[in-house]
Structures are given as structure tokens and as C-alpha cells.
Amino acid sequence: MVRSIILKKSDRGEADELVVFLSRDLGWLRGVAKNSRKSRVRFGGHLEPFSLVDLAVRPRKKDQLVWIDESQVIKGYLGIRSDIGKVALAAYFFELALIFQAEEQPDPNLFDFLHGVLEKLEGSEMKPLPFMLDEIRLLGLLGYGPRFDSCPRCGEPHKPGEKAVFSLSLGGACHSGCVPEGDAGLILSPDTMALVRRGLEVDAEAASRLRLGHKGMKELRNVLSQFVRYLRGREVNSLVFLEKTGVWSRDA
């Protein structure tokens, strides 16, 4: 049995389901749950999105999919699935991981981080700012962490009270004179810069107490959204869905 988190499932034929899941030991996999729509004994609703499960899997000879022979649910995260904002945010985090982490490349740290995101979403009030900080941490785990501590071009740290300009091509907050020509520079005010640096230094409990005004929230959200789209090279479906839910306006 492999500890896994279900991302999504879809019907495959009359009785089977195609399941996309992240395994702690095997990485991202796609598997066929044979007769899962008919067998309540072996599956019984244990393949719902964002469920933490143990799966019995084995290779298929004819393709890169695996067979899923059995599932046992560990935690269903019903609190997430009952809140559209939490569903949108969970989907976004997992889609980022799916986009930027190759299949069949296990990363226990990534799995544990995403499991922690589900725990946080399940057990607390939806406060977008701490999750934006977690988004930055996730991008770091995936090898695309944006820099806010020092200028990615000259390497000099940002001074207190100094605004910055985020460069998409360099992946970080630059000094005003260091932004590459033609780069869509995105302004980050001194307050936003200070909060991000502070938020990435403290633990989760302290981060949950941080506050940023509407202007700062818009600045940070704009930077992260544009950076992810730049890295992806095209639209990110879950980000569009997330933006439509109005999640980011819940907190300031």
C-alpha cells in the first residue's frame, strides 16, 4: 500500500475510473481503478479529490498507467470539499505541483508540504495571506522560488523602506535600476516587501497573525499570478477558477 493524495478522477468506460494521484513514495501517477464505479467493497467512495488514502497499485504492461486494486481512506477532508474557496485553493496548489514536478519522481518533502496544506485548509478559517506565503514556499520546493530578500540581478539586499520592482524574467524583486529592458516590472511597496520577508521567516502560527492592506494584497497577488503564468507559458486553469471565487478578498 502506498500513501497517496487524490487530485482528480474521471470515468473510464462503463465501470472504471482514471485517477490522478500523488504518492509519497512513487510521485505523481495515473492509475485505472478497475470496476471502481461498481465495487463498493474495494473502493467505496475512497477516491474523492483531496482524500488522503492508502492505495494498492501495480504496473500495467501495455502503458504507463498503473492498476489501482484497492483503496483505504485515511482522511477525507470533508471540510475542504464543503467550501468552494478551499476547493479552489487546494486545486491550485496541487496543479502547480503537477505542472512543475515530473511524473514518477518521488519527493517526500513535497508530499508532506501538500499534506500540510490540506490540514491547514481543513482545520482553520480561510485566510489568504498565509496561503500566499505557502505558495511562495511551494514554488521554492518545485525549484522556482521567487526571490524577495535580495535583487536577483545585482545580488544586493533590499533596504528597509525601499520599494522593489518584480522581474518575471529574473524571478525576483529587483532594485528599480536593475530591471531588464522590456520586462513587465511589477511594483512592490516597502510594506509588501517587508511583510513577505517577515512571513517567510516565521512559523505558520506567527504567519497567520500577519496582516497586509488591500493595496499590498493586490500587489503580491498580481506578482504571484503573473509569475506562475510566465513560468507555465500559458493559462493555469485552477488559477482562473481561484480568481473567480473571490478568495483573495476574504482577508486584508
Side-chain angles (χ1 to χ4, degrees):
M1 302 290 277
V2 293
R3 185 61 50 92
S4 306
I5 299 172
I6 305 298
L7 174 58
K8 56 186 176 181
K9 64 176 182 176
S10 57
D11 293 346
R12 183 183 174 92
E14 295 183 359
D16 303 344
E17 289 177 306
L18 179 64
V19 183
V20 180
F21 62 97
L22 178 64
S23 163
R24 193 176 193 277
D25 298 325
L26 302 175
W28 281 110
L29 291 172
R30 301 170 191 268
V32 177
K34 191 71 173 176
N35 291 321
S36 60
R37 293 159 65 192
K38 295 182 178 180
S39 176
R40 295 185 178 182
V41 175
R42 290 188 298 131
F43 296 102
H46 296 173
L47 297 174
E48 296 303 314
F50 311 123
S51 295
L52 180 68
V53 298
D54 281 340
L55 299 177
V57 302
R58 56 186 171 89
R60 281 162 52 104
K61 294 182 179 180
K62 57 184 178 180
D63 53 35
Q64 293 183 322
L65 302 175
V66 298
W67 288 115
I68 301 174
D69 293 324
E70 184 182 349
S71 67
Q72 296 177 4
V73 67
I74 306 301
K75 192 168 183 177
Y77 294 105
L78 298 179
I80 294 176
R81 300 211 299 269
S82 64
D83 184 324
I84 189 64
K86 291 183 177 183
V87 168
L89 192 52
Y92 177 53
F93 271 71
F94 276 85
E95 185 174 359
L96 287 183
L98 183 61
I99 289 171
F100 297 119
Q101 179 76 5
E103 290 192 18
E104 299 184 41
Q105 302 241 337
D107 185 341
N109 290 330
L110 176 63
F111 182 94
D112 292 344
F113 180 86
L114 291 171
H115 181 206
V117 168
L118 293 181
E119 288 288 322
K120 188 185 297 186
L121 281 169
E122 175 78 1
S124 64
E125 180 184 353
M126 181 69 186
K127 294 183 178 180
L129 180 56
F131 287 101
M132 279 197 258
L133 296 172
D134 280 342
E135 182 180 349
I136 296 170
R137 295 187 182 96
L138 174 59
L139 290 170
L141 284 173
L142 295 168
Y144 299 96
R147 293 179 59 182
F148 295 92
D149 55 344
S150 60
C151 176
R153 190 163 201 178
C154 71
E156 293 296 318
H158 294 280
K159 299 177 182 178
E162 179 184 39
K163 74 176 182 180
V165 183
F166 193 91
S167 165
L168 297 178
S169 61
L170 296 179
C174 298
H175 298 112
S176 298
C178 292
V179 182
E181 185 176 353
D183 200 312
L186 307 171
I187 300 298
L188 289 167
S189 65
D191 287 347
T192 304
M193 287 290 293
L195 183 137
V196 172
R197 290 197 297 269
R198 176 61 177 162
L200 295 175
E201 293 172 353
V202 301
D203 60 25
E205 182 178 352
S208 69
R209 296 194 295 268
L210 296 176
R211 292 292 181 270
L212 186 62
H214 290 290
K215 178 176 179 290
M217 289 285 286
K218 289 181 65 175
E219 288 178 350
L220 182 57
R221 186 63 256 156
N222 185 42
V223 161
L224 294 178
S225 294
Q226 291 208 40
F227 185 50
V228 166
R229 287 181 166 111
Y230 175 84
L231 293 174
R232 175 60 164 157
R234 53 191 173 93
E235 193 56 87
V236 179
N237 293 334
S238 59
L239 180 55
V240 175
F241 177 49
L242 185 58
E243 290 168 342
K244 289 179 179 180
T245 66
V247 162
W248 306 124
S249 63
R250 294 189 185 186
D251 190 35

